[in-house]
């Protein structure tokens, strides 16, 4: 029996939540605003960099083409984690103001690029700026359709691995909206945030993604990413880069 794809689009609700690149591909064209969540660590890196007035250019691949892309936009290319700068929030704390930087990422960058194809207003959200993002949307888009996307991670075979840090951060943003206008999927994200909000740092340290980073030697990245509402910066995507609102 054929199922109409519309049943997956949450079209009855103003505030929606979905996972990964395919979720963005389906829901972004139906939205006025999308929020990309990749807490460990693309969107956290974006928030840290943009707080220093950097321009952050997402890119899908970390290969030779990334070098050429960085040159084409007169930007530096993020290096391997452990070097400065890299896809590590800690490494970006010392970023020079107004730096132009390319951040390759298979999750957050991919979702951003897909959203760009729909010409939808795109924001990088994380735990650090969660309420600032909600307040920005409530102020500037009081009646529009909003979709929040948890990018998730990838298993070794490339299949989406749902990541609870992205779910929790999405719920933090969605918790500030009219709860009667949330889809069931969005309400579940809010429930996850409510469950976690009093002990977010411990949960991020002990979840799969956090343990992976800690075992690789980057516990401070998890600490930085787990800080809730410490930033008023709302990175918006414009002309190929995340930047402060204009």
């Amino acid at each position: 029996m054929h199922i109409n794809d519309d049943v997956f689009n949450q079209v009855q609700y103003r505030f929606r939540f979905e996972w990964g690149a395919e979720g963005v591909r389906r829901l972004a064209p139906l939205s006025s605003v999308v929020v990309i969540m990749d807490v460990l660590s693309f969107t956290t890196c974006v928030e840290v960099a943009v707080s220093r007035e950097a321009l952050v250019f997402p890119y899908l691949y970390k290969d030779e083409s990334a070098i050429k892309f960085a040159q084409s936009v007169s930007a530096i290319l993020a290096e391997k984690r452990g070097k400065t700068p890299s896809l590590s929030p800690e490494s970006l704390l010392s970023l020079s103001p107004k730096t132009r930087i390319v951040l390759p990422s298979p999750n957050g960058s991919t979702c951003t690029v897909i959203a760009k194809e729909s010409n939808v207003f795109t924001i990088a959200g994380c735990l650090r700026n969660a309420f600032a993002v909600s307040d920005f949307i409530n102020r500037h888009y009081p009646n529009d359709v909003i979709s929040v996307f948890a990018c998730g991670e990838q298993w070794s075979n490339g299949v989406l691995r749902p990541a609870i840090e992205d779910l929790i951060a999405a719920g933090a943003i969605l918790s500030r909206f009219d709860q009667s206008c949330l889809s069931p999927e969005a309400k579940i994200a809010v429930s996850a945030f409510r469950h976690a909000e009093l002990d977010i740092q411990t949960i991020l340290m002990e979840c799969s993604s956090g343990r992976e980073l800690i075992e690789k030697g980057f516990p401070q990245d998890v600490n930085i990413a787990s800080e809730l509402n410490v930033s008023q910066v709302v990175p918006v995507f414009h002309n190929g880069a995340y930047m402060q609102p204009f």
Side-chain angles (χ1 to χ4, degrees):
M1 182 176 65
H2 175 71
I3 301 295
N4 190 331
D5 274 359
D6 287 348
V7 302
F8 300 111
N9 293 338
Q10 304 171 43
V11 293
Q12 305 96 319
Y13 306 96
R14 187 177 155 222
F15 300 102
R16 306 164 185 178
F17 169 79
E18 196 48 87
W19 285 96
E22 187 58 30
V24 179
R25 197 169 282 114
R26 285 173 174 268
L27 268 61
L30 308 175
S31 309
S32 299
V33 179
V34 305
V35 185
I36 304 297
M37 315 294 295
D38 185 1
V39 173
L40 293 174
S41 55
F42 174 77
T43 54
T44 298
C45 284
V46 170
E47 182 280 320
V48 170
V50 171
S51 72
R52 302 189 61 77
E53 300 184 355
L55 293 183
V56 180
F57 296 85
Y59 196 70
L60 276 64
Y61 312 108
K62 186 62 185 288
D63 57 16
E64 290 296 319
S65 69
I67 298 173
K68 294 180 179 179
F69 175 73
Q71 293 171 343
S72 74
V73 295
S74 302
I76 60 174
L77 177 62
E79 299 190 58
K80 183 179 179 181
R81 192 188 289 264
K83 297 186 178 182
T84 301
S86 67
L87 195 67
S88 157
E90 183 179 28
S91 78
L92 301 177
L93 293 173
S94 58
L95 199 65
S96 298
K98 301 184 185 290
T99 297
R100 298 169 66 91
I101 183 170
V102 174
L103 288 183
S105 161
N107 304 306
S109 284
T110 299
C111 288
T112 299
V113 170
I114 293 171
K116 176 186 174 183
E117 294 171 357
S118 296
N119 294 316
V120 63
F121 191 82
T122 302
I123 297 171
C126 60
L127 286 165
R128 295 171 59 84
N129 69 351
F131 286 5
V133 169
S134 305
D135 293 346
F136 178 90
I137 291 171
N138 279 328
R139 198 162 56 245
H140 296 285
Y141 296 90
N143 301 302
D144 295 271
V145 172
I146 314 299
S147 293
V148 180
F149 297 99
C151 294
E153 298 293 334
Q154 294 183 16
W155 294 107
S156 58
N157 63 359
V159 173
L160 171 71
R161 175 174 69 79
I164 65 167
E165 65 273 12
D166 296 344
L167 176 67
I168 292 167
I173 290 175
L174 290 160
S175 72
R176 301 277 278 192
F177 299 136
D178 182 346
Q179 299 298 288
S180 68
C181 298
L182 268 61
S183 70
E185 290 83 355
K187 288 179 179 179
I188 290 297
V190 173
S191 296
F193 168 64
R194 295 297 185 207
H195 173 80
E197 65 180 318
L198 297 180
D199 201 16
I200 285 178
Q201 184 179 57
T202 299
I203 288 174
L204 259 65
M205 285 285 187
E206 295 181 352
C207 74
S208 298
S209 302
R211 289 168 64 89
E212 178 187 30
L213 282 181
I214 291 168
E215 289 187 8
K216 288 181 176 179
F218 302 104
Q220 189 58 22
D221 282 348
V222 185
N223 281 328
I224 293 168
S226 67
E227 294 179 304
L228 180 64
N229 298 324
V230 297
S231 172
Q232 292 299 310
V233 172
V234 179
V236 301
F237 192 69
H238 180 68
N239 286 343
Y242 280 108
M243 61 185 68
Q244 293 195 15
F246 40 87

